Amino acid sequence: MKSTLGEFVREALSGNRIEEAVIKLENEALLRRSIDPAILAALPASRLAASPLLLKARAESLLPQGDLAAAGDALTASVAGLAAGTLREPLISALSLLAIVHVRTGQRHEAETILRFLLDEREHEGERMPGESAWALALGLPLLGPEYAGDVEEQMREYRAAATAFDRDGKGERAALALLEALTRHAAAIGDADWFALRLSLGQRASMGRIDDRLLLYADALRAERRQELATADACLARCLGEGTDTEQEASQGMPYPYDRFARLFDVRIESVLRGDTPALTGKLDALAAFALDRTADVELRLAWAIARTFAAAARHDAADAEASFAEARVVAGFMPIPGADAMLEGAARQLAALAERPALEREDVGTSVQSKAHALAGVPGESSSSQAQAQDPASSAQMPVLSIASDLAQAPARSAAPPGRLQPSSRSSGWHVRLFGGLLFTREDGATVGDIRWKRSKTKELLLYLLLQPERAAVRERLVEDLFPDAAADKSDNRFYVASHQLKQIIAERLGEPNGIAVREGLVRLKEGLVAETDAERYDMLMRVAAQLWPADREQALALYGQAVPLYGALAPELQYVDWLDRLRETQLERQGGRPAPAGGKPRQRQGTKR
């Protein structure tokens, strides 16, 4: 009788025929067949690490578990090994999976580099490209410029191409998941005909056991929410999660990552809007604790988690928690272009506005209909919207015409506009103005100046510069630690971050007069709001961006803004050299400046042996 792959490997390992087992497994990988994670786990760790093909297979088993960090490490090692050999198809597949990890973890620069390579490869290889490549492009095309960012049709074509390639290779389950991602990520953007065609295809695949039919209920709930049919969305989620039945716990555990999380987070939003602060809402939040979402590296999950907490805090009338959660959501949304992010942020902003107006509404005894609740959830203005409500909603500033923004900049030099889709941060005249071009210098409107700070460690200064250059002066802790300590082991990098953050807190207290200048909360590292009014780097970026927008319609005004921006430009933090994340920013600004090097070494020099 012919033995199974698992039996063959176990028998070979028991007889100390390790190489025989490895060759058999590598052959399975070359045939594009999936390998049971338990079989890979039976191999000696050193032998697994020595095989690029099996490292790739290991990463493919980690991704469905949501272990993006370990999958990324395995894929990085796999790509390095495969690049040194002649196996091109596995190399392209491993690179594609690595691009997917980078997109999901918010590593824009790394993802963009691979995605542009995949676009070039597709021109030559066409339909022979592996399914992972089309999937990576479907997920990451918005990173490649405005011509791709709004092209949902192109992204949908890539998802279909991924499914076709997976079906060709006998990976029906992976094909179904690619189509499901297309359906759920773009539920609000695709037309009815396309949506129903995808839904029908997935229904057929579910009948063949290639996808859990509960996932289709989650997709139905998303579609219902976008059509403002909250009762229908609520019913779909209840069936999806098995609420009110004996199988509820089994249902939540049986759904694959990341949909087991997304469905529950969506359910929290629905519960908050339809029923408010109830024991059921508390129970749903408690159930999410098992997923440790505060520590997840998945950017989309972090956004959904922050939005869900905003809705829940608003439901229990906790304004402070709602505002803190919403601020986190805005920071996370800045890492990657996420489909539906603007709508979620606008819906959450309206929850905050409603919370602020609640006492007035209660005095007037105004009731809220399910229709208006649907508007709040979906980020759609209701019929009762007024200019006064828009004025109270800071997110409405994102709808200002470009010309108005430019005029605002000219009249109020100390103000910085928020990125589209996010609230304008509050501004305090007592905040420090920070010069980053040409060297670090703090100035304040009362004449105070701080520039001679003594840094015990360069990483403490680098931490401050990193936060100053982030949206909202905040960053996801895990990504920050990876950028600042890229070569350190996880335990050592965490210790070094603790030392740097502690020293920075002391320096901010002693030299800038703020005892609580830096905080680490729920996976975010942020400078205290109001500590910094503006940096010259963000003002430069804003002026250049608005000028570029104005150029086709009003060149005179665009030139005036360019004239304000160019004198600001200089060497960005010249005291820190050969810092990868900072070098990438310098290169971006150099391109925006028209390729002219900044004074005093603004153009970063390439390190020996470092690829660009």
Side-chain angles (χ1 to χ4, degrees), residues 530-553:
L531 174 68
V532 174
E534 186 185 48
T535 71
D536 56 353
E538 70 184 343
R539 179 155 180 76
Y540 169 81
D541 288 340
M542 174 60 67
L543 287 166
M544 295 293 283
R545 184 168 63 249
V546 175
Q549 290 175 325
L550 278 173
W551 183 257

Side-chain angles (χ1 to χ4, degrees), residues 410-594:
Q411 294 171 14
R415 230 175 116 196
S416 63
R422 292 189 273 289
L423 296 181
Q424 180 89 11
S426 62
S427 177
R428 286 166 43 180
S429 60
S430 59
W432 292 94
H433 294 259
V434 185
R435 188 190 73 189
L436 298 173
F437 289 126
L440 187 63
L441 180 69
F442 293 83
T443 59
R444 206 165 52 194
E445 291 181 4
D446 61 6
T449 300
V450 176
D452 57 341
I453 299 175
R454 296 183 62 184
W455 303 93
K456 294 180 180 178
R457 289 177 171 83
S458 64
K459 285 297 178 182
T460 306
K461 184 173 188 177
E462 187 179 342
L463 172 59
L464 174 60
L465 289 168
Y466 190 94
L467 293 173
L468 287 170
L469 288 163
Q470 302 303 311
E472 309 288 337
R473 328 270 185 234
V476 175
R477 183 185 188 280
E478 184 172 353
R479 176 66 190 276
L480 182 153
V481 170
E482 288 178 0
D483 282 342
L484 264 62
F485 310 101
D487 301 323
D491 55 343
K492 291 184 178 179
S493 61
D494 284 339
N495 289 336
R496 291 175 185 175
F497 166 73
Y498 174 80
V499 172
S501 60
H502 179 70
Q503 289 184 350
L504 180 56
K505 185 175 183 179
Q506 289 180 322
I507 287 172
I508 292 174
E510 294 170 3
R511 300 306 310 276
L512 303 181
E514 177 52 68
N516 299 305
I518 181 174
V520 182
R521 177 180 178 268
E522 295 181 341
L524 278 182
V525 185
R526 65 168 63 248
L527 295 178
K528 184 172 182 179
E529 186 175 4
L531 174 68
V532 174
E534 186 185 48
T535 71
D536 56 353
E538 70 184 343
R539 179 155 180 76
Y540 169 81
D541 288 340
M542 174 60 67
L543 287 166
M544 295 293 283
R545 184 168 63 249
V546 175
Q549 290 175 325
L550 278 173
W551 183 257
D554 191 340
R555 295 197 173 189
E556 183 177 351
Q557 192 166 15
L559 286 170
L561 293 178
Y562 281 130
Q564 295 178 43
V566 170
L568 295 173
Y569 181 71
L572 182 62
E575 54 270 67
L576 287 181
Q577 294 296 320
Y578 308 128
V579 176
D580 287 345
W581 66 266
L582 191 54
D583 285 351
R584 293 195 292 269
L585 281 178
R586 288 167 176 153
E587 289 167 358
T588 299
Q589 289 177 339
L590 181 63
E591 292 171 3
R592 189 173 287 170
Q593 182 74 358

Side-chain angles (χ1 to χ4, degrees), residues 60-106:
E60 289 179 292
S61 70
L62 290 168
L63 286 172
Q65 301 172 29
D67 195 345
L68 300 181
D73 290 343
L75 286 167
T76 299
S78 173
V79 167
L82 291 168
T86 59
L87 298 174
R88 186 163 182 78
E89 192 278 334
L91 172 61
I92 300 299
S93 177
L95 273 170
S96 302
L97 289 171
L98 187 56
I100 290 173
V101 171
H102 287 330
V103 172
R104 294 201 182 282
T105 54

Side-chain angles (χ1 to χ4, degrees), residues 101-121:
V101 171
H102 287 330
V103 172
R104 294 201 182 282
T105 54
Q107 300 180 71
R108 297 181 66 127
H109 180 79
E110 294 85 348
E112 183 180 343
T113 301
I114 299 175
L115 290 167
R116 292 199 181 279
F117 170 77
L118 293 178
L119 273 179
D120 291 340
E121 282 294 304

Side-chain angles (χ1 to χ4, degrees), residues 211-227:
I211 191 170
D212 193 323
D213 56 7
R214 290 171 300 178
L215 295 174
L216 304 188
L217 289 168
Y218 169 60
D220 292 343
L222 287 174
R223 186 69 171 178
E225 180 235 356
R226 291 306 175 198
R227 296 169 68 90

